[in-house]
Amino acid sequence: MSSPEPGQGHGRRVLLVEDEEAVRMTLRYNLAAQGYVVSEASSGTAGLALARSRSPDLVVLDLMLPELSGEEVCRAIRQESDVPILMLTARGAESDKVTGLGLGADDYMTKPFGVKEFMARVAALLRRSERPPQAPPQGQLIRVGNFTADADSRRVMVDRQEVKMSPKEFSLLFFLLTHHGRVHSRDSLLRAVWGADFHGDSKTVAVHIRWIREKFEAFPSLPFRVNTVFGVGYRVDLAPGETLQP
Ligand code: CA
């Protein structure tokens, strides 16, 4: 990497959403010193607005925020992008709760934490997200019954109606469809869709599966089902008589 900025940040944009000013100042200072470009918000509402308008490379998101909670902000961002999210939580019950929720954040840190550890996690998340996506292969179209998924345009259509999907939702669905009829564990889906060195929680997969199902609830004629194989993982089954069309 050749970049004029000093440090590891190389001008990459980090959005800090944290209402505790002391924490925010410390993180901002250290990020800026490493060459990151930092924008800040002290409420969930302002944070979500900046996530949309600035398209940051990474979001650091506190859980307990005024107006919109970190949980709600995380969910809203995940519906729109795969920007890495580092969630900050307080010690104890709150951190147990958030990791259990499987919000779709990529990493979690419990306060108080050391700045060195924080900077290392930020750098690791950015490294990971800069790898090209593992799936799906380019230039492929899946057609089955009234359903199409186009890997070039990343559009999903059912009954000629577009179903909006986030990039990760699309990749996960595309992978399951191209390997339909087989059971895939959460870990194998993590590796296939998120990449070999994604070390996040495999609950991430369950969360994305739930979102995918919710999006298709309005289409009872969908020619496949995303099934849970209890204790093992997930499998896409085509409706009887359906095949993937060339
Ligand atoms: Ca807070």
Side-chain angles (χ1 to χ4, degrees), residues 173-200:
L173 179 64
F174 201 93
F175 181 87
L176 285 167
L177 276 164
T178 49
H179 302 88
H180 67 89
R182 272 180 266 168
V183 185
H184 302 274
S185 69
R186 287 176 178 186
D187 286 336
S188 71
L189 290 170
L190 266 187
R191 281 194 299 277
V193 176
W194 277 260
D197 46 19
F198 179 83
H199 297 300

PDB file of all heavy atoms in Angstrom, residues 173-200:
ATOM      1  N   LEU A 173     -27.546 -16.313   0.114  1.00  0.00           N
ATOM      2  CA  LEU A 173     -28.631 -16.962  -0.613  1.00  0.00           C
ATOM      3  C   LEU A 173     -28.114 -17.601  -1.898  1.00  0.00           C
ATOM      4  O   LEU A 173     -28.472 -18.741  -2.247  1.00  0.00           O
ATOM      5  CB  LEU A 173     -29.733 -15.942  -0.929  1.00  0.00           C
ATOM      6  CG  LEU A 173     -30.921 -16.500  -1.710  1.00  0.00           C
ATOM      7  CD1 LEU A 173     -31.650 -17.562  -0.889  1.00  0.00           C
ATOM      8  CD2 LEU A 173     -31.881 -15.383  -2.113  1.00  0.00           C
ATOM      9  N   PHE A 174     -27.253 -16.886  -2.604  1.00  0.00           N
ATOM     10  CA  PHE A 174     -26.712 -17.390  -3.862  1.00  0.00           C
ATOM     11  C   PHE A 174     -25.926 -18.680  -3.621  1.00  0.00           C
ATOM     12  O   PHE A 174     -26.064 -19.659  -4.364  1.00  0.00           O
ATOM     13  CB  PHE A 174     -25.810 -16.317  -4.487  1.00  0.00           C
ATOM     14  CG  PHE A 174     -25.592 -16.490  -5.969  1.00  0.00           C
ATOM     15  CD1 PHE A 174     -26.420 -15.847  -6.875  1.00  0.00           C
ATOM     16  CD2 PHE A 174     -24.565 -17.281  -6.456  1.00  0.00           C
ATOM     17  CE1 PHE A 174     -26.235 -15.990  -8.238  1.00  0.00           C
ATOM     18  CE2 PHE A 174     -24.363 -17.436  -7.819  1.00  0.00           C
ATOM     19  CZ  PHE A 174     -25.202 -16.786  -8.713  1.00  0.00           C
ATOM     20  N   PHE A 175     -25.134 -18.681  -2.570  1.00  0.00           N
ATOM     21  CA  PHE A 175     -24.342 -19.877  -2.239  1.00  0.00           C
ATOM     22  C   PHE A 175     -25.260 -21.056  -1.927  1.00  0.00           C
ATOM     23  O   PHE A 175     -25.073 -22.162  -2.423  1.00  0.00           O
ATOM     24  CB  PHE A 175     -23.421 -19.590  -1.050  1.00  0.00           C
ATOM     25  CG  PHE A 175     -22.570 -20.769  -0.668  1.00  0.00           C
ATOM     26  CD1 PHE A 175     -21.340 -20.983  -1.293  1.00  0.00           C
ATOM     27  CD2 PHE A 175     -23.002 -21.676   0.289  1.00  0.00           C
ATOM     28  CE1 PHE A 175     -20.556 -22.085  -0.958  1.00  0.00           C
ATOM     29  CE2 PHE A 175     -22.226 -22.780   0.625  1.00  0.00           C
ATOM     30  CZ  PHE A 175     -21.005 -22.986  -0.004  1.00  0.00           C
ATOM     31  N   LEU A 176     -26.272 -20.802  -1.086  1.00  0.00           N
ATOM     32  CA  LEU A 176     -27.188 -21.896  -0.709  1.00  0.00           C
ATOM     33  C   LEU A 176     -27.946 -22.433  -1.920  1.00  0.00           C
ATOM     34  O   LEU A 176     -28.180 -23.635  -2.037  1.00  0.00           O
ATOM     35  CB  LEU A 176     -28.178 -21.408   0.361  1.00  0.00           C
ATOM     36  CG  LEU A 176     -27.597 -21.258   1.767  1.00  0.00           C
ATOM     37  CD1 LEU A 176     -28.554 -20.473   2.652  1.00  0.00           C
ATOM     38  CD2 LEU A 176     -27.286 -22.624   2.383  1.00  0.00           C
ATOM     39  N   LEU A 177     -28.312 -21.526  -2.834  1.00  0.00           N
ATOM     40  CA  LEU A 177     -29.049 -21.962  -4.021  1.00  0.00           C
ATOM     41  C   LEU A 177     -28.162 -22.761  -4.975  1.00  0.00           C
ATOM     42  O   LEU A 177     -28.597 -23.775  -5.522  1.00  0.00           O
ATOM     43  CB  LEU A 177     -29.636 -20.746  -4.748  1.00  0.00           C
ATOM     44  CG  LEU A 177     -30.970 -20.242  -4.205  1.00  0.00           C
ATOM     45  CD1 LEU A 177     -31.261 -18.844  -4.721  1.00  0.00           C
ATOM     46  CD2 LEU A 177     -32.110 -21.188  -4.567  1.00  0.00           C
ATOM     47  N   THR A 178     -26.922 -22.295  -5.162  1.00  0.00           N
ATOM     48  CA  THR A 178     -26.050 -23.039  -6.078  1.00  0.00           C
ATOM     49  C   THR A 178     -25.647 -24.381  -5.474  1.00  0.00           C
ATOM     50  O   THR A 178     -25.226 -25.274  -6.190  1.00  0.00           O
ATOM     51  CB  THR A 178     -24.775 -22.233  -6.455  1.00  0.00           C
ATOM     52  OG1 THR A 178     -24.194 -21.734  -5.261  1.00  0.00           O
ATOM     53  CG2 THR A 178     -25.090 -21.084  -7.382  1.00  0.00           C
ATOM     54  N   HIS A 179     -25.762 -24.514  -4.164  1.00  0.00           N
ATOM     55  CA  HIS A 179     -25.468 -25.799  -3.503  1.00  0.00           C
ATOM     56  C   HIS A 179     -26.723 -26.348  -2.840  1.00  0.00           C
ATOM     57  O   HIS A 179     -26.672 -26.866  -1.729  1.00  0.00           O
ATOM     58  CB  HIS A 179     -24.371 -25.613  -2.456  1.00  0.00           C
ATOM     59  CG  HIS A 179     -23.089 -25.066  -3.019  1.00  0.00           C
ATOM     60  ND1 HIS A 179     -22.850 -23.717  -3.141  1.00  0.00           N
ATOM     61  CD2 HIS A 179     -21.994 -25.673  -3.520  1.00  0.00           C
ATOM     62  CE1 HIS A 179     -21.656 -23.526  -3.688  1.00  0.00           C
ATOM     63  NE2 HIS A 179     -21.110 -24.693  -3.928  1.00  0.00           N
ATOM     64  N   HIS A 180     -27.846 -26.222  -3.531  1.00  0.00           N
ATOM     65  CA  HIS A 180     -29.114 -26.614  -2.917  1.00  0.00           C
ATOM     66  C   HIS A 180     -29.163 -28.141  -2.697  1.00  0.00           C
ATOM     67  O   HIS A 180     -28.430 -28.891  -3.353  1.00  0.00           O
ATOM     68  CB  HIS A 180     -30.293 -26.156  -3.775  1.00  0.00           C
ATOM     69  CG  HIS A 180     -30.384 -26.850  -5.105  1.00  0.00           C
ATOM     70  ND1 HIS A 180     -31.077 -28.022  -5.286  1.00  0.00           N
ATOM     71  CD2 HIS A 180     -29.844 -26.530  -6.302  1.00  0.00           C
ATOM     72  CE1 HIS A 180     -30.960 -28.390  -6.551  1.00  0.00           C
ATOM     73  NE2 HIS A 180     -30.227 -27.505  -7.192  1.00  0.00           N
ATOM     74  N   GLY A 181     -30.014 -28.519  -1.739  1.00  0.00           N
ATOM     75  CA  GLY A 181     -30.149 -29.949  -1.452  1.00  0.00           C
ATOM     76  C   GLY A 181     -29.078 -30.479  -0.510  1.00  0.00           C
ATOM     77  O   GLY A 181     -29.138 -31.630  -0.092  1.00  0.00           O
ATOM     78  N   ARG A 182     -28.096 -29.630  -0.194  1.00  0.00           N
ATOM     79  CA  ARG A 182     -27.051 -30.050   0.737  1.00  0.00           C
ATOM     80  C   ARG A 182     -27.138 -29.230   2.013  1.00  0.00           C
ATOM     81  O   ARG A 182     -27.463 -28.050   1.979  1.00  0.00           O
ATOM     82  CB  ARG A 182     -25.664 -29.840   0.120  1.00  0.00           C
ATOM     83  CG  ARG A 182     -25.197 -31.038  -0.691  1.00  0.00           C
ATOM     84  CD  ARG A 182     -23.826 -30.766  -1.264  1.00  0.00           C
ATOM     85  NE  ARG A 182     -23.922 -30.229  -2.606  1.00  0.00           N
ATOM     86  CZ  ARG A 182     -22.894 -29.681  -3.268  1.00  0.00           C
ATOM     87  NH1 ARG A 182     -21.720 -29.569  -2.685  1.00  0.00           N
ATOM     88  NH2 ARG A 182     -23.052 -29.245  -4.492  1.00  0.00           N
ATOM     89  N   VAL A 183     -26.797 -29.863   3.133  1.00  0.00           N
ATOM     90  CA  VAL A 183     -26.803 -29.144   4.407  1.00  0.00           C
ATOM     91  C   VAL A 183     -25.454 -28.460   4.599  1.00  0.00           C
ATOM     92  O   VAL A 183     -24.408 -29.057   4.350  1.00  0.00           O
ATOM     93  CB  VAL A 183     -27.033 -30.104   5.593  1.00  0.00           C
ATOM     94  CG1 VAL A 183     -27.154 -29.315   6.893  1.00  0.00           C
ATOM     95  CG2 VAL A 183     -28.276 -30.933   5.370  1.00  0.00           C
ATOM     96  N   HIS A 184     -25.517 -27.199   5.012  1.00  0.00           N
ATOM     97  CA  HIS A 184     -24.289 -26.453   5.286  1.00  0.00           C
ATOM     98  C   HIS A 184     -24.314 -25.985   6.731  1.00  0.00           C
ATOM     99  O   HIS A 184     -25.298 -25.404   7.175  1.00  0.00           O
ATOM    100  CB  HIS A 184     -24.193 -25.241   4.367  1.00  0.00           C
ATOM    101  CG  HIS A 184     -24.235 -25.607   2.909  1.00  0.00           C
ATOM    102  ND1 HIS A 184     -23.118 -25.968   2.205  1.00  0.00           N
ATOM    103  CD2 HIS A 184     -25.280 -25.703   2.055  1.00  0.00           C
ATOM    104  CE1 HIS A 184     -23.469 -26.263   0.961  1.00  0.00           C
ATOM    105  NE2 HIS A 184     -24.775 -26.114   0.842  1.00  0.00           N
ATOM    106  N   SER A 185     -23.233 -26.246   7.453  1.00  0.00           N
ATOM    107  CA  SER A 185     -23.157 -25.784   8.835  1.00  0.00           C
ATOM    108  C   SER A 185     -22.954 -24.273   8.836  1.00  0.00           C
ATOM    109  O   SER A 185     -22.510 -23.678   7.839  1.00  0.00           O
ATOM    110  CB  SER A 185     -21.999 -26.463   9.561  1.00  0.00           C
ATOM    111  OG  SER A 185     -20.772 -26.003   9.034  1.00  0.00           O
ATOM    112  N   ARG A 186     -23.252 -23.652   9.979  1.00  0.00           N
ATOM    113  CA  ARG A 186     -23.019 -22.207  10.094  1.00  0.00           C
ATOM    114  C   ARG A 186     -21.560 -21.877   9.835  1.00  0.00           C
ATOM    115  O   ARG A 186     -21.242 -20.888   9.169  1.00  0.00           O
ATOM    116  CB  ARG A 186     -23.386 -21.736  11.498  1.00  0.00           C
ATOM    117  CG  ARG A 186     -24.875 -21.699  11.746  1.00  0.00           C
ATOM    118  CD  ARG A 186     -25.118 -21.310  13.184  1.00  0.00           C
ATOM    119  NE  ARG A 186     -26.543 -21.223  13.472  1.00  0.00           N
ATOM    120  CZ  ARG A 186     -27.026 -20.795  14.623  1.00  0.00           C
ATOM    121  NH1 ARG A 186     -26.202 -20.417  15.582  1.00  0.00           N
ATOM    122  NH2 ARG A 186     -28.318 -20.742  14.831  1.00  0.00           N
ATOM    123  N   ASP A 187     -20.654 -22.723  10.362  1.00  0.00           N
ATOM    124  CA  ASP A 187     -19.234 -22.439  10.183  1.00  0.00           C
ATOM    125  C   ASP A 187     -18.820 -22.531   8.720  1.00  0.00           C
ATOM    126  O   ASP A 187     -18.033 -21.727   8.236  1.00  0.00           O
ATOM    127  CB  ASP A 187     -18.375 -23.393  11.034  1.00  0.00           C
ATOM    128  CG  ASP A 187     -18.432 -23.013  12.510  1.00  0.00           C
ATOM    129  OD1 ASP A 187     -18.721 -21.836  12.801  1.00  0.00           O
ATOM    130  OD2 ASP A 187     -18.189 -23.885  13.355  1.00  0.00           O
ATOM    131  N   SER A 188     -19.362 -23.521   8.017  1.00  0.00           N
ATOM    132  CA  SER A 188     -18.965 -23.640   6.609  1.00  0.00           C
ATOM    133  C   SER A 188     -19.540 -22.482   5.795  1.00  0.00           C
ATOM    134  O   SER A 188     -18.906 -21.998   4.859  1.00  0.00           O
ATOM    135  CB  SER A 188     -19.383 -25.002   6.037  1.00  0.00           C
ATOM    136  OG  SER A 188     -20.783 -25.065   5.890  1.00  0.00           O
ATOM    137  N   LEU A 189     -20.723 -22.005   6.174  1.00  0.00           N
ATOM    138  CA  LEU A 189     -21.294 -20.844   5.480  1.00  0.00           C
ATOM    139  C   LEU A 189     -20.485 -19.584   5.782  1.00  0.00           C
ATOM    140  O   LEU A 189     -20.285 -18.738   4.908  1.00  0.00           O
ATOM    141  CB  LEU A 189     -22.762 -20.650   5.870  1.00  0.00           C
ATOM    142  CG  LEU A 189     -23.703 -21.737   5.326  1.00  0.00           C
ATOM    143  CD1 LEU A 189     -25.087 -21.602   5.949  1.00  0.00           C
ATOM    144  CD2 LEU A 189     -23.795 -21.680   3.808  1.00  0.00           C
ATOM    145  N   LEU A 190     -20.029 -19.473   7.029  1.00  0.00           N
ATOM    146  CA  LEU A 190     -19.174 -18.330   7.390  1.00  0.00           C
ATOM    147  C   LEU A 190     -17.942 -18.309   6.511  1.00  0.00           C
ATOM    148  O   LEU A 190     -17.550 -17.277   5.974  1.00  0.00           O
ATOM    149  CB  LEU A 190     -18.726 -18.430   8.851  1.00  0.00           C
ATOM    150  CG  LEU A 190     -19.517 -17.738   9.928  1.00  0.00           C
ATOM    151  CD1 LEU A 190     -18.771 -17.840  11.242  1.00  0.00           C
ATOM    152  CD2 LEU A 190     -19.773 -16.267   9.598  1.00  0.00           C
ATOM    153  N   ARG A 191     -17.308 -19.486   6.360  1.00  0.00           N
ATOM    154  CA  ARG A 191     -16.086 -19.557   5.553  1.00  0.00           C
ATOM    155  C   ARG A 191     -16.381 -19.245   4.091  1.00  0.00           C
ATOM    156  O   ARG A 191     -15.643 -18.532   3.431  1.00  0.00           O
ATOM    157  CB  ARG A 191     -15.441 -20.941   5.664  1.00  0.00           C
ATOM    158  CG  ARG A 191     -14.649 -21.144   6.951  1.00  0.00           C
ATOM    159  CD  ARG A 191     -13.776 -22.377   6.856  1.00  0.00           C
ATOM    160  NE  ARG A 191     -14.530 -23.602   6.643  1.00  0.00           N
ATOM    161  CZ  ARG A 191     -15.108 -24.301   7.622  1.00  0.00           C
ATOM    162  NH1 ARG A 191     -14.993 -23.893   8.863  1.00  0.00           N
ATOM    163  NH2 ARG A 191     -15.789 -25.393   7.364  1.00  0.00           N
ATOM    164  N   ALA A 192     -17.496 -19.804   3.598  1.00  0.00           N
ATOM    165  CA  ALA A 192     -17.804 -19.656   2.166  1.00  0.00           C
ATOM    166  C   ALA A 192     -18.214 -18.229   1.809  1.00  0.00           C
ATOM    167  O   ALA A 192     -17.867 -17.724   0.752  1.00  0.00           O
ATOM    168  CB  ALA A 192     -18.913 -20.628   1.769  1.00  0.00           C
ATOM    169  N   VAL A 193     -18.945 -17.577   2.689  1.00  0.00           N
ATOM    170  CA  VAL A 193     -19.537 -16.282   2.344  1.00  0.00           C
ATOM    171  C   VAL A 193     -18.772 -15.115   2.973  1.00  0.00           C
ATOM    172  O   VAL A 193     -18.558 -14.088   2.340  1.00  0.00           O
ATOM    173  CB  VAL A 193     -21.028 -16.245   2.752  1.00  0.00           C
ATOM    174  CG1 VAL A 193     -21.633 -14.875   2.482  1.00  0.00           C
ATOM    175  CG2 VAL A 193     -21.799 -17.331   2.010  1.00  0.00           C
ATOM    176  N   TRP A 194     -18.347 -15.283   4.211  1.00  0.00           N
ATOM    177  CA  TRP A 194     -17.658 -14.188   4.903  1.00  0.00           C
ATOM    178  C   TRP A 194     -16.138 -14.273   4.720  1.00  0.00           C
ATOM    179  O   TRP A 194     -15.434 -13.319   4.956  1.00  0.00           O
ATOM    180  CB  TRP A 194     -18.003 -14.172   6.389  1.00  0.00           C
ATOM    181  CG  TRP A 194     -19.288 -13.464   6.692  1.00  0.00           C
ATOM    182  CD1 TRP A 194     -19.400 -12.177   7.157  1.00  0.00           C
ATOM    183  CD2 TRP A 194     -20.631 -13.958   6.569  1.00  0.00           C
ATOM    184  NE1 TRP A 194     -20.727 -11.861   7.320  1.00  0.00           N
ATOM    185  CE2 TRP A 194     -21.502 -12.918   6.974  1.00  0.00           C
ATOM    186  CE3 TRP A 194     -21.176 -15.173   6.158  1.00  0.00           C
ATOM    187  CZ2 TRP A 194     -22.887 -13.063   6.971  1.00  0.00           C
ATOM    188  CZ3 TRP A 194     -22.542 -15.317   6.156  1.00  0.00           C
ATOM    189  CH2 TRP A 194     -23.388 -14.278   6.555  1.00  0.00           C
ATOM    190  N   GLY A 195     -15.647 -15.463   4.378  1.00  0.00           N
ATOM    191  CA  GLY A 195     -14.211 -15.609   4.154  1.00  0.00           C
ATOM    192  C   GLY A 195     -13.529 -16.437   5.214  1.00  0.00           C
ATOM    193  O   GLY A 195     -13.992 -16.514   6.357  1.00  0.00           O
ATOM    194  N   ALA A 196     -12.406 -17.051   4.816  1.00  0.00           N
ATOM    195  CA  ALA A 196     -11.733 -18.043   5.662  1.00  0.00           C
ATOM    196  C   ALA A 196     -11.262 -17.454   6.981  1.00  0.00           C
ATOM    197  O   ALA A 196     -11.218 -18.139   7.994  1.00  0.00           O
ATOM    198  CB  ALA A 196     -10.555 -18.659   4.913  1.00  0.00           C
ATOM    199  N   ASP A 197     -10.909 -16.174   6.984  1.00  0.00           N
ATOM    200  CA  ASP A 197     -10.381 -15.655   8.249  1.00  0.00           C
ATOM    201  C   ASP A 197     -11.348 -14.698   8.943  1.00  0.00           C
ATOM    202  O   ASP A 197     -10.954 -13.801   9.654  1.00  0.00           O
ATOM    203  CB  ASP A 197      -9.016 -15.010   8.055  1.00  0.00           C
ATOM    204  CG  ASP A 197      -8.994 -14.089   6.850  1.00  0.00           C
ATOM    205  OD1 ASP A 197     -10.095 -13.684   6.401  1.00  0.00           O
ATOM    206  OD2 ASP A 197      -7.920 -13.786   6.363  1.00  0.00           O
ATOM    207  N   PHE A 198     -12.626 -14.941   8.722  1.00  0.00           N
ATOM    208  CA  PHE A 198     -13.636 -14.232   9.518  1.00  0.00           C
ATOM    209  C   PHE A 198     -13.771 -14.968  10.837  1.00  0.00           C
ATOM    210  O   PHE A 198     -14.083 -16.149  10.867  1.00  0.00           O
ATOM    211  CB  PHE A 198     -14.974 -14.225   8.776  1.00  0.00           C
ATOM    212  CG  PHE A 198     -16.086 -13.537   9.532  1.00  0.00           C
ATOM    213  CD1 PHE A 198     -16.211 -12.165   9.472  1.00  0.00           C
ATOM    214  CD2 PHE A 198     -16.978 -14.266  10.287  1.00  0.00           C
ATOM    215  CE1 PHE A 198     -17.234 -11.529  10.160  1.00  0.00           C
ATOM    216  CE2 PHE A 198     -18.002 -13.632  10.989  1.00  0.00           C
ATOM    217  CZ  PHE A 198     -18.112 -12.252  10.920  1.00  0.00           C
ATOM    218  N   HIS A 199     -13.481 -14.292  11.932  1.00  0.00           N
ATOM    219  CA  HIS A 199     -13.513 -14.974  13.222  1.00  0.00           C
ATOM    220  C   HIS A 199     -14.712 -14.554  14.062  1.00  0.00           C
ATOM    221  O   HIS A 199     -14.750 -14.770  15.248  1.00  0.00           O
ATOM    222  CB  HIS A 199     -12.215 -14.712  13.988  1.00  0.00           C
ATOM    223  CG  HIS A 199     -11.024 -15.265  13.279  1.00  0.00           C
ATOM    224  ND1 HIS A 199     -10.883 -16.594  12.996  1.00  0.00           N
ATOM    225  CD2 HIS A 199      -9.940 -14.644  12.759  1.00  0.00           C
ATOM    226  CE1 HIS A 199      -9.747 -16.783  12.336  1.00  0.00           C
ATOM    227  NE2 HIS A 199      -9.166 -15.625  12.171  1.00  0.00           N
ATOM    228  N   GLY A 200     -15.666 -13.930  13.422  1.00  0.00           N
ATOM    229  CA  GLY A 200     -16.844 -13.477  14.153  1.00  0.00           C
ATOM    230  C   GLY A 200     -17.733 -14.638  14.579  1.00  0.00           C
ATOM    231  O   GLY A 200     -17.457 -15.797  14.308  1.00  0.00           O
TER     232      GLY A 200
END
